[in-house]
């Protein structure tokens, strides 16, 4: 009885081996195929829009010390009273800058005008002393690697027709990609 | 029987095997031109990444192409195989045809994914062998593929009437090999998406063509 059981097991095992071998043989041949994978990539760095932010306003009142006769002159490169603007956009992108150089500002309470003649300097970084007058920069202006460019706004204020009071003025600058 | 457990075990095992086999036999087909053992070698050349570079949110379409002005480099691949055989190349673009911002796994997240259209072109009309420095010429002469699958001869026969049939494979005979080139390129659309690195995998499967009848 024991011997016949071994025979039985042997038979079964042989059958299994045959059956197991058969599907392997029936499997498709080597497809000689080859798989490779590559990566598609891109880095999005910032918005394409240009944003302009006022860091500080031009301090006319504080600039009284700079008054000579009927005129106050704020040097955009050297004077702390210059207004500061920060433009941000595409890193390293070339830009073209234009601004209104002259503006008449009226007194809120009535008659009386101030006459502004702006001077603007720029630098691709927050370093006023390194900035150059926009009109005198002959090379292309460019955002820095972080996509930032700074402007300092100063100029001459003619006080000859000014009366005491509050004056509101604005400065218009236009920046565009080339 | 004294050991019924064994029987049940064996019977189940055999039943399982028979089941597995019946699955296989259901896929019986007659294959023509199965060429095994003459391996195809696919190499990715430089650059090995389809890099669309630094882009700005909202920038719009960016194209990498082998022919016109391109905003990035095409990825070249070499396919080495038996000269007179056909190969079938299957390209699988990134899931959802999107490349995803690092950390994002959802191609439907429009803030953190960008649509890509991955394309390929092949070149098989060279003098045979590797083109080396002439890869630029090969690229310019590449044939554009419509769709994600293409079949072409490793080396296209030059013009004129068909040549004699190839020597049948026999012991000791090494069939002539040649190199075809594949170029991967495509378009990316940069929408108003979040900043950061985006990537996606492109799979390329190359095999000798089989002409099968079910």
């Amino acid at each position: 009885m024991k011997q016949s059981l071994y025979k039985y097991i042997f038979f079964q095992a042989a059958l299994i081996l045959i059956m197991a071998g058969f599907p392997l043989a029936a499997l498709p041949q080597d497809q000689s195929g080859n798989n490779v994978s590559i990566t598609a990539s891109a880095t999005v760095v910032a918005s394409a829009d240009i944003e302009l932010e006022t860091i500080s306003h031009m301090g006319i009142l504080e600039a009284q010390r700079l008054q000579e006769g009927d005129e106050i002159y704020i040097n955009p490169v050297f004077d702390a009273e210059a207004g500061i603007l920060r433009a941000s956009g595409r890193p390293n992108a070339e830009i073209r800058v234009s601004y209104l150089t002259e503006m008449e500002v009226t007194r809120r309470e009535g008659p009386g005008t101030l006459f502004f003649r702006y001077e603007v300097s720029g630098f691709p970084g927050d370093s006023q002393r390194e900035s150059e007058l926009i009109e005198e920069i002959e090379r292309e202006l460019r955002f820095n690697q972080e996509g930032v460019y700074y402007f300092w706004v100063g100029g001459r204020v003619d006080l000859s027709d000014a009366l005491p009071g509050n004056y509101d003025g604005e400065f218009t600058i236009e920046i565009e990609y080339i | 029987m004294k050991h019924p457990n064994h029987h049940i075990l064996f019977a189940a095992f055999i039943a399982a095997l028979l089941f597995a086999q019946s699955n296989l036999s259901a896929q019986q087909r007659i294959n023509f031109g199965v060429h095994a053992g003459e391996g195809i070698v696919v190499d990715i050349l430089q650059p090995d990444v389809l890099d669309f570079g630094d882009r700005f949110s909202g920038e719009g379409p960016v194209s990498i192409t082998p022919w016109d002005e391109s905003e990035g480099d095409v990825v070249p691949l070499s396919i080495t195989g038996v000269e007179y055989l056909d190969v079938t190349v299957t390209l699988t673009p990134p899931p959802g045809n999107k490349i995803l911002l690092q950390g994002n796994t959802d191609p439907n997240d429009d803030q953190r994914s960008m649509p890509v259209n991955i394309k390929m072109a092949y070149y098989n009309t060279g003098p045979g062998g590797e083109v080396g420095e002439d890869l630029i010429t090969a690229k310019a002469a590449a044939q554009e593929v419509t769709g994600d699958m293409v079949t072409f001869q490793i080396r296209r026969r030059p013009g004129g009437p068909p040549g004699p049939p190839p020597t049948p494979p026999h012991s000791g005979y090494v069939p002539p090999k040649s190199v075809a080139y594949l170029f991967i390129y495509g378009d990316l659309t940069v929408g108003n998406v979040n900043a950061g690195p985006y990537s996606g995998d492109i799979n390329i499967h190359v095999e000798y063509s089989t002409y099968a009848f079910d």
Side-chain angles (χ1 to χ4, degrees):
Chain A
M1 180 61 202
K2 204 166 191 186
Q3 201 185 355
S4 87
L5 180 68
Y6 281 138
K7 247 183 200 170
Y8 181 71
I9 291 169
F10 178 77
F11 175 73
Q12 294 278 20
L15 193 65
I16 287 164
L17 281 175
I18 290 163
M19 305 281 284
F22 189 67
L24 280 179
L27 278 172
Q29 296 285 314
D30 169 22
Q31 291 291 306
S32 296
N34 210 319
N35 266 311
V36 292
S37 182
I38 61 170
T39 302
S41 71
T43 304
V44 173
V45 283
S47 163
D49 297 331
I50 297 175
E51 285 175 26
L52 196 58
E53 190 184 349
T54 304
I55 305 293
S56 74
H57 293 279
M58 194 157 62
I60 300 289
L61 278 179
E62 296 84 351
Q64 299 291 339
R65 64 174 181 89
L66 300 170
Q67 185 167 353
E68 278 179 31
D70 283 341
E71 189 184 74
I72 294 175
Y73 176 62
I74 300 174
N75 187 319
V77 179
F78 297 106
D79 293 335
E81 290 81 1
I84 306 170
L85 300 173
R86 181 175 63 200
S88 44
R90 284 186 215 163
N92 302 316
E94 282 184 17
I95 47 174
R96 183 183 294 128
V97 174
S98 56
Y99 60 91
L100 288 175
T101 50
E102 292 181 349
M103 173 157 292
E104 200 177 41
V105 182
T106 49
R107 189 166 70 105
R108 242 190 261 165
E109 292 85 358
T113 53
L114 290 180
F115 198 71
F116 270 74
R117 187 173 286 113
Y118 291 112
E119 282 185 15
V120 180
S121 66
F123 189 71
D126 187 5
S127 178
Q128 186 180 9
R129 288 297 173 93
E130 287 181 84
S131 69
E132 292 173 72
L133 291 177
I134 295 290
E135 282 156 9
E136 290 171 10
I137 300 178
E138 286 181 1
R139 61 185 175 277
E140 303 295 350
L141 301 186
R142 239 177 228 283
F143 282 121
N144 68 10
Q145 285 178 349
E146 281 86 44
V148 173
Y149 197 94
Y150 282 84
F151 297 99
W152 288 266
V153 184
R156 293 178 194 280
V157 188
D158 185 350
L159 300 174
S160 55
D161 292 330
L163 292 167
N166 294 302
Y167 292 84
D168 276 340
E170 59 184 28
F171 170 69
T172 306
I173 186 165
E174 194 178 280
I175 305 161
E176 59 185 337
Y177 292 120
I178 295 173
Chain B
M1 278 295 204
K2 272 184 181 176
H3 302 278
N5 286 344
H6 280 100
H7 286 176
I8 292 165
L9 205 66
F10 279 126
F13 197 19
I14 286 162
L17 281 168
L18 281 170
F19 183 72
Q21 225 180 336
S22 70
N23 263 352
L24 283 165
S25 60
Q27 292 179 356
Q28 278 292 354
R29 44 163 59 186
I30 304 165
N31 283 327
F32 292 89
V34 174
H35 299 276
E38 305 287 0
I40 302 172
V41 178
V42 180
D43 285 320
I44 304 170
L45 310 177
Q46 290 297 322
D48 56 0
V49 172
L50 186 63
D51 189 3
F52 289 91
D54 287 352
R55 297 295 152 197
F56 310 100
S57 185
E59 187 175 342
V62 178
S63 287
I64 294 178
T65 147
W67 304 288
D68 301 321
E69 196 177 315
S70 181
E71 295 179 79
D73 290 327
V74 168
V75 177
L77 286 83
S78 68
I79 303 171
T80 308
V82 175
E83 185 175 279
Y84 54 80
L85 294 182
D86 288 355
V87 286
T88 298
V89 179
T90 313
L91 181 145
T92 311
N97 282 302
K98 295 277 193 80
I99 59 172
L100 308 180
L101 178 62
Q102 197 171 47
N104 178 30
T105 52
D106 178 14
N108 294 318
D109 184 344
D110 289 339
Q111 279 289 303
R112 294 187 290 165
S113 68
M114 295 192 284
V116 284
N117 182 16
I118 306 296
K119 298 185 253 187
M120 60 179 165
Y122 66 92
Y123 175 78
N124 63 344
T125 50
E130 296 191 15
V131 298
E133 294 291 313
D134 286 338
L135 195 60
I136 295 157
T137 318
K139 192 167 73 173
Q143 293 287 310
E144 188 172 7
V145 174
T146 313
D148 287 341
M149 194 188 259
V150 64
T151 297
F152 57 87
Q153 212 169 4
I154 287 282
R155 186 180 170 215
R156 200 174 76 185
R157 226 182 11 244
T167 313
H170 56 268
S171 172
Y173 172 72
V174 180
K177 294 215 167 185
S178 190
V179 186
Y181 289 87
L182 195 67
F183 301 97
I184 308 297
Y185 58 101
D187 305 317
L188 169 74
T189 307
V190 187
N192 289 310
V193 292
N194 294 357
Y198 286 73
S199 67
D201 283 340
I202 303 162
N203 283 297
I204 295 127
H205 179 76
V206 183
E207 63 179 15
Y208 285 123
S209 306
T210 56
Y211 298 93
F213 299 87
D214 283 317

